[in-house]
Amino acid sequence: MTSEVALGRAGALLTIDLDAIVENWRRLQARGAPAECGAVLKADAYGLGAAPVGRALSAAGARSFFVAHLEEGIALRAVLDEPRIVVLNGLLPGLAADYTAHDLIPALNDPGEIAAWAGHARALGTALPGFVHLDTGMNRLGLSPDDQDRLAADPSVLDGIGPITWMTHLACAEDTGNPMSRAQLDRFHRAVARLPPAPVSIANSSGIFLGQDFHGDLTRPGAALYGINPTPDRPNPMAGVVRVEARILQTRRVDTPMTVGYGAAHRVKGPARLATIAVGYADGVPRAASGRGAVRIAGFTAPITGRISMDLITVDVTHIPETLAAPGALAEVLGPELTPDRLGESAGTIGYEILTSLGLRYARRYVGGVE
Ligand SMILES: *Cc1c(COP(=O)(O)O)cnc(C)c1O
């Protein structure tokens, strides 16, 4: 199907390459071997669709999935029977039965969650698996150093929870020269050495590239699956996954000096040709990229001029042949050249935020995958 056909009635088309996601998972698996490679599908698989991504990765052999919210876990369980699903945000008060009803494993982020999960296991008369999160410097979620001391002194509070996985999360993994990662790893090993023996999980996407010491038994990549560069100071080892193409709605010639867009923020010295494209900040093109980002039209780069609006952007197509930059043609907003990392950089943010902001107005096309 051509992009024009897939676009249908929409202003812009989001194409998601499931085979590229599977290929990235295989690369991360190889890179982290012999550790098992999990997959983080929180925030609807970073905006790309937890159900299709989960099905494709499960068919490829992924056995451990991670989401942030209980509701995300319930939705993912509805499409995946076999793999384990871990809810990273933890065990919500009073809702333990919802986790067992949907076969979900909570990350246990504080002593209260451990007690509640162990109590639920005793009430059911069965052991329940749990990921116990030990904070080693992120200071966001997880057992504090004092909690860890108390747990080491009395591990019987874990009775009923099993199998256990000890996990921690790195704060600076993408910054290879930062001593923080090694310090966190040392803290984690010291903590785990005092606790009952169990598998460990440490690395996010970037952590996998910090070397074997960080691989543990189970890795937790998210962003790299979706094509984000896990090694920002080196070339991207991942395959590109997303493409966004948007309609050119109008073109216009500007002959006298004039301004473009809201706030009259851009002055065209003229003569120039401008194209208006059906994508805006409501579709995740960040307003902060105004006057800094670019799109591609028929292989040419067209800089974004003036402010990015909610539904539209205006680009300079003066140097592009008129027949190519014409109404009805498509402009590439994200793709092999204009990666989410690059668009993020032009807006002072990261590729993660670009993907998770893509919005609901796209026609979506999945290519590859299982069905
Ligand atoms: C989001 C998250 C990950 C995945 O991180 P990426 O940088 O996207 O690979 C792994 N572990 C935890 C605890 C997370 O919150």
Side-chain angles (χ1 to χ4, degrees):
M1 201 194 297
T2 66
S3 296
E4 283 78 5
V5 172
L7 194 51
R9 294 170 177 157
L13 172 67
L14 168 60
T15 304
I16 296 157
D17 186 343
L18 295 171
D19 288 344
I21 294 175
V22 167
E23 166 64 21
N24 285 338
W25 181 76
R26 293 210 169 101
R27 287 182 197 176
L28 294 163
Q29 163 94 76
R31 185 82 198 199
E36 178 192 344
C37 189
V40 179
L41 268 56
K42 62 191 179 189
D44 201 27
Y46 292 49
L48 304 186
V53 170
R55 277 195 212 99
L57 288 175
S58 177
R63 287 289 156 264
S64 298
F65 291 92
F66 298 85
V67 294
H69 287 260
L70 171 59
E71 289 283 14
E72 294 176 336
I74 292 172
L76 189 60
R77 177 56 76 208
V79 298
L80 297 180
D81 291 334
E82 287 278 306
R84 60 179 167 173
I85 300 173
V86 180
V87 178
L88 291 168
N89 278 10
L91 183 64
L92 296 178
L95 296 176
D98 291 44
Y99 293 74
T100 43
H102 299 277
D103 192 13
L104 303 173
I105 303 175
L108 301 169
N109 288 318
D110 69 32
E113 293 182 26
I114 291 175
W117 195 236
H120 188 52
R122 280 194 300 275
L124 294 178
T126 174
L128 294 175
F131 274 53
V132 180
H133 184 173
L134 308 176
D135 180 45
T136 54
M138 186 78 173
N139 279 307
R140 194 177 64 167
L141 289 175
L143 273 69
S144 70
D146 286 349
D147 296 334
Q148 295 169 31
D149 288 343
R150 281 190 281 270
L151 187 62
D154 181 15
S156 73
V157 298
L158 296 164
D159 287 352
I161 304 176
I164 289 172
T165 303
W166 305 116
M167 68 168 270
T168 196
H169 191 46
L170 300 171
C172 307
E174 70 291 343
D175 181 6
T176 42
N178 197 318
M180 177 84 174
S181 299
R182 179 62 60 177
Q184 285 192 266
L185 186 67
D186 291 345
R187 257 174 245 143
F188 184 64
H189 283 322
R190 279 198 300 274
V192 166
R194 299 183 300 154
L195 294 165
V200 300
S201 178
I202 304 156
N204 66 338
S205 299
S206 295
I208 295 171
F209 293 83
L210 290 175
Q212 190 148 27
D213 294 356
F214 289 85
H215 294 163
D217 299 292
L218 168 66
T219 59
R220 304 188 308 272
L225 294 171
Y226 311 112
I228 305 252
N229 187 357
T231 58
D233 52 356
R234 281 173 280 153
N236 191 351
M238 312 319 298
V241 167
V242 296
R243 184 183 292 264
V244 165
E245 297 159 282
R247 291 181 197 274
I248 299 177
L249 297 173
Q250 272 200 355
T251 59
R252 66 185 60 238
R253 190 174 292 288
V254 176
D255 291 319
T256 50
M258 267 201 256
T259 62
V260 183
Y262 282 124
H266 178 77
R267 179 165 291 278
V268 182
K269 296 179 188 71
R273 234 165 57 83
L274 304 174
T276 302
I277 295 171
V279 74
Y281 61 74
D283 309 294
V285 180
R287 192 166 172 278
S290 299
R292 301 174 62 193
V295 304
R296 305 266 299 172
I297 298 171
F300 295 89
T301 297
I304 296 175
T305 56
R307 292 228 180 119
I308 289 167
S309 321
M310 185 185 292
D311 319 296
L312 299 167
I313 60 176
T314 310
V315 303
D316 188 328
V317 295
T318 310
H319 56 293
I320 305 177
E322 255 181 73
T323 49
L324 299 176
L330 298 183
E332 186 175 284
V333 178
L334 286 177
E337 314 269 336
L338 301 166
T339 61
D341 288 320
R342 219 173 127 188
L343 179 58
E345 206 175 297
S346 69
T349 182
I350 54 177
Y352 293 61
E353 194 177 22
I354 300 298
L355 291 185
T356 55
S357 305
L358 286 172
L360 302 171
R361 298 197 293 192
Y362 291 100
R364 272 189 185 221
R365 168 172 61 176
Y366 287 94
V367 298
V370 270
E371 276 98 9

